[in-house]
Amino acid sequence: MKCDYTAVKNIYIICGKTDMEKGIDDLATLIQDSFKFDLYGDSIFLFSGWSKDRYKCLYFDGDGLAMLYKRLDSRKLQWPKDEKEVRNLSQQKLHWLLEGLSIQQPKAIPQSPKVVC
């Protein structure tokens, strides 16, 4: 299954360390009960554990919840550490995160809130 996340409306990163032994049901419960998010909206939810070389992605694909689990071979993620925080990421920040970069790039040119046609 190949998924295209470029059109997803909301990308949520669950900061801090998540127990990577949790399955779909446990992660879904965490999203709904602890963070009060709608699992069935146009959203993906990202989790990482202690080692920062793997992550899980939970999303609703139209007829059920699906989970992607990825282990990186040669690098680690720069996962935010605040255990109680959930961040809504832009597509650019998602790319930075999955490329091993920090989602805070101080030298990046910020996007303008104005839309120019």
Side-chain angles (χ1 to χ4, degrees):
M1 169 190 333
K2 186 173 183 178
C3 299
D4 179 13
Y5 298 115
T6 58
V8 174
K9 183 178 178 182
N10 293 301
I11 303 164
Y12 294 107
I13 179 173
I14 311 304
C15 300
K17 299 169 183 80
T18 301
D19 180 358
M20 294 303 279
E21 292 182 5
K22 290 181 185 243
I24 289 177
D25 293 332
D26 291 331
L27 293 175
T29 300
L30 178 68
I31 291 166
Q32 290 180 311
D33 293 350
S34 298
F35 299 111
K36 309 296 185 211
F37 285 108
D38 177 17
L39 276 172
Y40 305 102
D42 187 15
S43 303
I44 60 174
F45 301 90
L46 300 162
F47 306 86
S48 185
W50 290 92
S51 63
K52 306 291 187 266
D53 66 345
R54 57 198 74 199
Y55 66 93
K56 287 184 177 179
C57 174
L58 191 66
Y59 62 98
F60 181 72
D61 68 357
D63 62 2
L65 287 174
M67 183 172 62
L68 167 75
Y69 179 73
K70 183 166 185 174
R71 186 188 73 224
L72 303 169
D73 288 336
S74 60
R75 59 190 158 94
K76 293 191 183 259
L77 300 167
Q78 292 193 34
W79 207 266
K81 294 178 171 77
D82 188 349
E83 299 282 338
K84 304 286 184 202
E85 185 179 9
V86 175
R87 294 187 190 178
N88 192 341
L89 300 182
S90 65
Q91 289 288 336
Q92 179 63 57
K93 288 184 178 183
L94 175 63
H95 288 288
W96 286 338
L97 177 71
L98 299 182
E99 289 173 357
L101 301 171
S102 170
I103 59 175
Q104 302 300 327
Q105 293 292 322
K107 293 186 179 185
I109 298 171
Q111 291 184 343
S112 174
K114 295 180 181 180
V115 177
V116 179
C117 297

